[in-house]
Amino acid sequence: MINNILLAVSGLGHAEEMLKTLKEIPSIQRAKVTVLHVVPPQSTAGAMTAKWEEGGKVLANAIQTLNLDPSQVSSILRQGEPKDVVCQVAEEMDADLIIMGSRGLKRLQSILANSVSQYVFQLSSRPMLLVKDDIYVKKINRIMVAMDNSDASKQCLNLALFLIRDIKGGELILSHVITDLGGESATSTQINPEQHPVLAGAVAEVKKQGVQPRCVLSMGKPGEKICRLAEELNVDLLLIGSPDRRPSIAKSFVDLDRLLGSSLSDYVRINATCPVLLARTTG
C-alpha cells in the first residue's frame, strides 16, 4: 500500500529520523523515497543563488542521513512556495505517504506563521505523517488507530495492518472514544470492547489478517482522550482519519474555520506526544 514516499525536508526537525524508523518495517523496505526541498522565492538574484546552494546542502545532508539504497531514493530541489510545491510534487509522483516535520503550532498561530505542514495537511488528499519537533521518534512496535465509523478511519485501519503485519512482537491497538453527545450511555464502556459496534467490524477484519488486536474504549472528549490514551499506552505511532468535508470549489484555498483548529484531527495533530499519521478521504 505504501510504495512511494515523499519526504519534505527543511533542514530542521525529525522527518528524516522518522523515515529511517519506518524503513525498519519490512513492509516499507521496498518503498521508493523522493526527498524534496523547496527554495522559497527571494527578492534578489544573489539571495536566490545563496538559498539555492543552501538547499542543495540540505538535500545532500538529508540523503546522507537516510543512508538508503541509491536505487530507492531520488531528490528534488525546486523553487516556489513550499506549501504549494509539496502538494504539487505529491500529486506528480502519486505519493502514497507524505512525511513532514511540524512545529505543532496551535490554531491561529499556524495561519500567522504560514505553516507549511498545516497548509499541506489542509489541502492534500494523501496520507500524511507529521512529526513534531519536540517529540522523540521511537522504533515502531505499538500502533494505535483511533476508530469511528468514517471511511477515513477504515483507511487508517488498512494502513495500520499494512505496517504491523511484519513487525515481530508488534501490537495493534484499536481505540474508540464514546462521547456524551453521541447518544451512547456510560454503560457502553462496560461491554467487551471487541463487541462494541464501532470496533467489532474492525476486530473481525484484523483477525482475518492473523493479528490479535488490543481494544480500548474510553469516554469523554475525543481529542483529549485519544492523546491521553496514546501517551498512557506508550504508543509509537498514532493513526487517525481526517475526512475532507469541503466542497470542490473550496479546494483552491484554505478553509479558515478548519485552520482555526475545530477538527478532531487538528487537535490530535497539535497535542499528541507521538508521530501522527493522518489519512484523508475526499468527497
Side-chain angles (χ1 to χ4, degrees):
M1 289 182 64
I2 299 179
N3 297 312
N4 296 311
I5 298 175
L6 175 60
L7 175 68
V9 298
S10 63
L12 302 171
H14 302 311
E16 296 95 322
E17 188 177 351
M18 186 74 244
L19 179 59
K20 288 181 69 175
T21 300
L22 274 181
K23 274 289 191 176
E24 296 176 3
I25 300 175
S27 56
I28 296 289
Q29 289 174 357
R30 292 181 296 276
K32 293 187 179 298
V33 177
T34 299
V35 184
L36 169 69
H37 179 71
V38 184
V39 178
Q42 302 296 313
S43 57
T44 67
M48 191 70 243
T49 299
K51 279 290 184 182
W52 198 259
E53 292 176 353
E54 180 184 325
K57 293 177 182 178
V58 169
L59 268 184
N61 289 338
I63 291 175
Q64 183 178 12
T65 298
L66 293 173
N67 193 29
L68 296 177
D69 182 337
S71 67
Q72 290 186 320
V73 62
S74 59
S75 62
I76 297 177
L77 181 63
R78 191 172 292 186
Q79 180 184 347
E81 286 292 341
K83 54 185 182 292
D84 295 323
V85 174
V86 173
C87 292
Q88 291 166 5
V89 172
E91 292 299 317
E92 290 171 8
M93 63 173 285
D94 194 21
D96 300 309
L97 179 66
I98 302 170
I99 301 178
M100 295 186 68
S102 169
R103 288 171 290 175
L105 297 177
K106 296 185 177 180
R107 302 182 178 182
L108 187 59
Q109 287 179 299
S110 292
I111 302 172
L112 298 179
N114 198 25
S115 169
V116 176
S117 62
Q118 173 65 4
Y119 185 100
V120 176
F121 161 66
Q122 174 68 18
L123 293 184
S124 178
S125 62
R126 299 176 182 276
M128 184 174 181
L129 178 49
L130 289 173
V131 191
K132 289 196 299 182
D133 293 344
D134 60 350
I135 67 170
Y136 176 67
V137 177
K138 300 178 292 182
K139 182 176 180 180
I140 298 174
N141 288 304
R142 191 173 289 111
I143 298 176
M144 185 173 102
V145 182
M147 297 296 303
D148 55 28
N149 286 317
S150 69
D151 288 339
S153 176
K154 295 174 183 176
Q155 186 179 359
C156 283
L157 180 62
N158 290 334
L159 286 168
L161 281 170
F162 174 78
L163 295 172
I164 201 74
R165 65 187 183 190
D166 292 326
I167 298 178
K168 188 176 182 180
E171 182 179 14
L172 178 60
I173 301 167
L174 305 180
S175 67
H176 174 61
V177 179
I178 300 169
T179 65
D180 293 327
L181 297 177
E184 297 181 80
S185 66
T187 57
S188 296
T189 59
Q190 305 301 315
I191 68 170
N192 182 342
E194 290 192 11
Q195 297 174 352
H196 188 277
V198 172
L199 297 181
V203 170
E205 180 62 30
V206 168
K207 288 184 176 180
K208 285 181 186 177
Q209 304 292 327
V211 177
Q212 180 62 47
R214 174 180 178 183
C215 295
V216 180
L217 284 177
S218 186
M219 193 169 186
K221 294 182 179 179
E224 294 178 8
K225 286 293 184 179
I226 289 169
C227 291
R228 186 176 303 170
L229 281 173
E231 186 169 10
E232 291 176 352
L233 298 174
N234 197 25
V235 167
D236 306 314
L237 179 64
L238 169 61
L239 283 77
I240 185 169
S242 178
D244 185 354
R245 301 183 178 90
R246 294 167 297 135
S248 297
I249 194 172
K251 293 184 184 295
S252 61
F253 58 87
V254 174
D255 183 329
L256 183 61
D257 290 336
R258 286 184 59 112
L259 273 178
L260 287 173
S262 60
S263 70
L264 168 61
S265 53
D266 197 69
Y267 181 94
V268 173
R269 171 192 71 85
I270 293 166
N271 293 285
T273 56
C274 65
V276 178
L277 198 163
L278 300 126
R280 170 158 288 167
T281 55
T282 57

